Amino acid sequence: MRLLLEQILTKYQSSVFKAAFYICGNSEDVEDIVQETFLAYHRNNREFESEEHIRAWLLRVAVNKAKNMRKSFWYRKRIYLPDFTEWMEEQTKDYDEIFDHESEEILQAVFSLPEKCRIIIHLFYYEEYSVKEIANILDIKANTVKSQLYRGRTLLRDMLKEKWENE
């Protein structure tokens, strides 16, 4: 099965953007990753089993490209680090429609999670993948997904509980 690039872009651009954004946290880098991901699909001549297989493949490519970018010399040696709060406000304004008007508080909590937990939380809750599917996409063991999911939930619960108790 193979769909036209325009169809793939319309259906999965938002999901690919979000997955990469949870790893990089920088819209300019993520836009590059999204473009490279869809170019990889366009250049790839393989047949897919289903639309779900295409979606999983796109997410895996995006996650791998985002991780590779984070490991790159250029990314690690950047000097400019914008203030997180100002950056968050700017991102939520520009990308409200992409993130479906999620609560800024929850979004900030998710972004403050360690990278491993953050991407798994995203794939589980926002993309609605099962533990087994996430393990296949990220090429890790299901038990690792479960433990990272547990850590992420615990950290989120503690962060949000602390914020809500203070208010």
Side-chain angles (χ1 to χ4, degrees):
M1 169 180 213
R2 191 120 175 109
L3 297 176
L4 294 174
L5 186 59
E6 292 81 18
Q7 293 173 310
I8 297 298
L9 276 167
T10 304
K11 284 186 173 185
Y12 303 117
Q13 184 175 9
S14 178
S15 295
V16 170
F17 184 95
K18 290 178 194 177
F21 196 79
Y22 278 104
I23 294 172
C24 291
N26 177 319
S27 60
E28 290 82 15
D29 292 338
V30 171
E31 288 170 1
D32 290 341
I33 291 166
V34 170
Q35 185 176 18
E36 288 175 21
T37 300
F38 287 106
L39 276 172
Y41 175 82
H42 179 69
R43 291 179 181 149
N44 185 350
N45 291 327
R46 76 186 269 187
E47 289 290 320
F48 294 93
E49 297 168 12
S50 64
E51 276 195 54
E52 188 57 37
H53 186 216
I54 294 171
R55 180 177 174 227
W57 185 88
L58 289 169
L59 288 170
R60 183 172 191 162
V61 169
V63 165
N64 288 340
K65 287 186 179 297
K67 284 181 177 180
N68 288 343
M69 181 175 279
R70 296 263 329 237
K71 290 178 189 174
S72 72
F73 176 81
W74 175 84
Y75 192 91
R76 287 181 289 129
K77 299 299 179 184
R78 280 199 269 200
I79 295 173
Y80 172 71
L81 295 173
D83 178 53
F84 183 75
T85 332
E86 290 175 18
W87 172 81
M88 246 349 252
E89 288 172 9
E90 184 180 312
Q91 296 307 317
T92 52
K93 284 179 193 170
D94 292 344
Y95 296 103
D96 264 354
E97 70 279 358
I98 292 174
F99 287 101
D100 301 326
H101 304 289
E102 293 174 347
S103 164
E104 183 179 332
E105 191 174 356
I106 294 171
L107 191 60
Q108 282 182 340
V110 171
F111 273 107
S112 66
L113 292 173
E115 179 185 325
K116 291 178 181 179
C117 296
R118 188 171 52 225
I119 190 62
I120 290 173
I121 291 285
H122 170 75
L123 291 173
F124 188 80
Y125 288 106
Y126 297 101
E127 300 298 329
E128 299 178 353
Y129 277 108
S130 69
V131 169
K132 185 178 178 183
E133 291 169 327
I134 294 170
N136 288 333
I137 290 171
L138 299 178
D139 198 26
I140 57 178
K141 294 180 181 178
N143 285 337
T144 304
V145 172
K146 289 178 187 176
S147 66
Q148 292 297 334
L149 197 53
Y150 175 79
R151 284 187 192 118
R153 287 176 182 148
T154 303
L155 289 168
L156 279 174
R157 183 183 66 233
D158 293 346
M159 281 187 274
L160 294 173
K161 183 178 177 185
E162 192 176 296
K163 284 182 182 179
W164 291 334
E165 285 176 353
N166 290 338
E167 289 180 1

